Amino acid sequence: MSTVGATSSSNVSSLSEESVRKEPIFREINADQTDEVVEIESACMGCFQTGVTRLLPTKIPFFREVVLMSFKCDHCGYTNNEMQSASEIQKSGVRIELEVKTVSDLNRRVVRSDNSSVSIPEVELEIPVQSQKGEVTTVEGIIERTIAGLSQDQDKRRIDHPAEAATLDAYIERLHKLKEVTTPFRVLLEDISGNSFIENPLAPATDPQLKTGHFTRTKEQNEQLGLYEQNHEEQHLLKPIAEDEWPIENLHGEVLQFPTNCPNCQAPCETNMKLTNIPHFKEVVIMATVCGTCGHKTNEVKSGGGVEPQGVRFKVRVTNKEDLTRDVLKSETCSLSIPELDLEVGPHALCGRFTTVEGLLVAMRDQLDGTFFHDSADETTKQKMQRFLDTFEAVTKLEQVITLVLEDPAGNTYVQSLSDDDAEPDDKLTVERYDRSFEDNEELGLNDMKTEGYEQDA
């Protein structure tokens, strides 16, 4: 694994030069990407002759950008494959639990970054963080790789240490039986960088065997990723301004700009940001990005206030055109669901945005259609997805009545009421306030937040 890793790090500059191209660097994965493969000569770790490393930047559907790497030596036949995440470190870590019940579950695609750990409690298996390089594999592939690693030098071990070798043979046999799935078992995948993924074959419907949660990283985990807190004793790069030098009124009328990278092609571009006030709600920050390279446009909304004392749940009955025109402010912590379609969209799937009910439905449909495995999916799966997209199209044409549910544990989501009194919900809009669970507070990072006596710790 060190061969590919050393090669990729030494050629970061050449990849960065490619970012100035007019076409996107990371394209949707398909069978026609052979012209985008970059070939680099690199040393073979088997015979120390010269081999070839092939790099392919691509996008994985329902996930994000990665660089696939493959090394081959024509002298000794040594081969090596590796995957490295090319996207930014996510705001929170991800914890995924898969219950394997049938042999077909072993074929689920798994994307693992270098910062992920894998465990199977039923056989007491644990693969620690950074003990293996990132890869694109399957559940069965993880088990097979573990068996291959444990089987190394077993012949010699049986001679020198027969007792240890017998114990290891018994454990390897347990792993082989695991692939027969005679009894269900769990696969736990945790990634502190948030860049790992297990396939949901029922997508876009929810999978009862798959549970995904997010968590706030600890200080030690941030340092493990190279993210360090600023030392307040050092000189600050951002100088504080005087109290009356920049009044809040000026901020409301000002459009701020800052450099960023396009989320679609990673080319340099600028994001515009403005603070505005939503009537009957609160202040929000609206951010818009237009890429001059690929033309990609995004808009995102972030709450300008804190976390509300209670979570909020909106239920909107969509029956006519007027219902589609309701204004909606969806925060980045808000999840969406449509019970009639058995569809659930997590809070991190669609960013925060200020739009309408129709705009929200169109965004959900476009994301499902644009991130699907069009090339590698079997015909049955393609037909199933197409039927679902056709049903979604019928919803936007008001040929099917649905209920759109928006649930935000942070309470920073808003849906416009069509009644004469905007502060009161109309007969097609239901607003529920609820107390957050421990898990909700954990995802929001509130359980570790100290609001009293923090001055002493500081």
Side-chain angles (χ1 to χ4, degrees):
M1 303 303 293
S2 58
T3 307
V4 174
T7 305
S8 62
S9 61
S10 64
N11 290 279
V12 170
S13 59
S14 63
L15 286 178
S16 62
E17 293 174 1
E18 294 288 325
S19 64
V20 301
R21 300 181 305 175
K22 291 300 180 184
E23 64 271 13
I25 299 175
F26 298 93
R27 297 183 180 179
E28 299 291 347
I29 191 167
N30 60 71
D32 301 322
Q33 287 185 286
T34 54
D35 59 328
E36 300 174 22
V37 176
V38 179
E39 294 189 357
I40 303 173
E41 291 186 350
S42 52
C44 173
M45 293 292 101
C47 66
F48 299 102
Q49 297 291 323
T50 300
V52 176
T53 296
R54 293 175 174 85
L55 307 177
L56 174 63
T58 187
K59 284 184 180 179
I60 293 183
F62 297 110
F63 193 51
R64 48 182 67 95
E65 299 85 0
V66 297
V67 178
L68 303 179
M69 293 172 279
S70 174
F71 173 82
K72 183 178 180 180
C73 177
D74 292 331
H75 300 280
C76 66
Y78 176 76
T79 60
N80 183 23
N81 300 297
E82 185 179 325
M83 184 279 298
Q84 286 191 1
S85 174
S87 60
E88 63 182 9
I89 296 175
Q90 305 304 306
K91 295 179 181 178
S92 56
V94 64
R95 186 179 292 114
I96 306 173
E97 177 180 335
L98 170 66
E99 185 177 6
V100 179
K101 293 183 176 181
T102 64
V103 175
S104 62
D105 290 330
L106 297 175
N107 297 324
R108 293 184 186 234
R109 297 178 180 89
V110 178
V111 178
R112 290 185 55 210
S113 76
D114 299 355
N115 302 297
S116 64
S117 63
V118 179
S119 62
I120 303 178
E122 285 73 12
V123 292
E124 301 174 4
L125 170 66
E126 184 169 349
I127 303 174
V129 174
Q130 295 182 346
S131 61
Q132 295 179 353
K133 290 291 183 180
E135 60 180 344
V136 180
T137 181
T138 61
V139 174
E140 184 177 12
I142 293 175
I143 300 175
E144 281 290 351
R145 185 175 180 179
T146 304
I147 292 174
L150 295 175
S151 300
Q152 279 187 329
D153 300 326
Q154 266 296 82
D155 294 336
K156 185 175 184 300
R157 196 178 290 115
R158 291 188 183 99
I159 299 173
D160 298 338
H161 307 284
E164 290 82 352
T167 303
L168 207 53
D169 282 334
Y171 186 76
I172 292 174
E173 182 62 27
R174 290 178 65 188
L175 293 179
H176 278 295
K177 289 183 178 179
L178 208 61
K179 296 191 297 179
E180 299 174 3
V181 198
T182 53
T183 57
F185 64 91
R186 292 170 296 155
V187 176
L188 308 179
L189 175 62
E190 183 172 307
D191 187 352
I192 57 177
S193 70
N195 287 325
S196 291
F197 159 83
I198 296 181
E199 178 191 4
N200 171 14
L202 304 179
T206 56
D207 185 353
Q209 296 174 227
L210 194 64
K211 299 178 182 177
T212 303
H214 296 83
F215 62 90
T216 303
R217 286 186 292 268
T218 63
K219 178 182 177 182
E220 291 74 18
Q221 289 172 332
N222 277 328
E223 291 179 354
Q224 193 173 356
L225 295 172
L227 305 176
Y228 294 91
E229 295 182 1
Q230 185 179 12
N231 187 349
H232 294 284
E233 295 179 359
E234 297 177 355
Q235 183 179 3
H236 295 290
L237 294 177
L238 299 178
K239 301 293 190 298
I241 61 176
E243 184 175 351
D244 299 329
E245 186 177 342
W246 190 260
I248 191 66
E249 291 78 11
N250 289 5
L251 188 59
H252 275 285
E254 189 76 12
V255 177
L256 306 178
Q257 291 184 329
F258 57 90
T260 184
N261 288 339
C262 172
N264 185 55
C265 68
Q266 302 300 316
C269 59
E270 284 195 339
T271 294
N272 298 321
M273 181 177 70
K274 188 178 187 302
L275 184 67
T276 188
N277 193 359
I278 303 294
H280 308 289
F281 190 52
K282 59 174 66 175
E283 287 183 342
V284 296
V285 179
I286 298 179
M287 294 184 289
T289 304
V290 178
C291 178
T293 302
C294 68
H296 183 70
K297 298 180 181 180
T298 63
N299 68 82
E300 187 174 351
V301 176
K302 292 184 179 293
S303 172
V307 176
E308 295 295 314
Q310 290 183 306
V312 64
R313 184 184 297 111
F314 294 92
K315 295 181 180 179
V316 184
R317 191 74 171 164
V318 181
T319 60
N320 54 43
K321 289 185 178 181
E322 191 178 26
D323 296 326
L324 292 175
T325 61
R326 289 179 190 264
D327 289 334
V328 176
L329 173 64
K330 177 201 172 297
S331 77
E332 56 186 0
T333 56
C334 175
S335 60
L336 308 171
S337 64
I338 302 177
E340 291 82 357
L341 304 183
D342 193 24
L343 171 67
E344 287 189 14
V345 179
H348 298 275
L350 291 175
C351 63
R353 59 184 64 201
F354 185 55
T355 179
T356 61
V357 170
E358 183 178 15
L360 209 52
L361 294 173
V362 170
M364 293 164 66
R365 185 197 182 284
D366 290 346
Q367 188 179 52
L368 290 172
D369 189 27
T371 57
F372 182 60
F373 288 95
H374 288 287
D375 294 317
S376 59
D378 57 82
E379 194 61 32
T380 303
T381 305
K382 287 182 179 179
Q383 292 177 1
K384 178 183 175 183
M385 174 60 77
Q386 190 56 50
R387 285 196 300 270
F388 183 86
L389 294 176
D390 291 342
T391 304
F392 224 101
E393 193 69 26
V395 169
T396 57
K397 293 179 180 178
L398 300 174
E399 296 173 2
Q400 180 175 345
V401 177
I402 62 161
T403 302
L404 178 63
V405 182
L406 300 91
E407 184 167 335
D408 186 359
N412 288 326
T413 293
Y414 165 79
V415 177
Q416 178 191 13
S417 172
L418 299 180
S419 65
D420 295 335
D421 184 1
D422 289 343
E424 294 295 327
D426 56 76
D427 56 352
K428 294 181 183 178
L429 175 64
T430 305
V431 183
E432 301 174 2
R433 301 279 176 179
Y434 64 92
D435 294 327
R436 285 184 292 270
S437 64
F438 178 86
E439 290 74 18
D440 291 333
N441 286 329
E442 185 72 16
E443 285 207 18
L444 294 173
L446 299 178
N447 290 333
D448 300 324
M449 189 174 293
K450 189 173 183 181
T451 58
E452 296 179 358
Y454 55 86
E455 300 93 343
Q456 299 174 359
D457 296 340

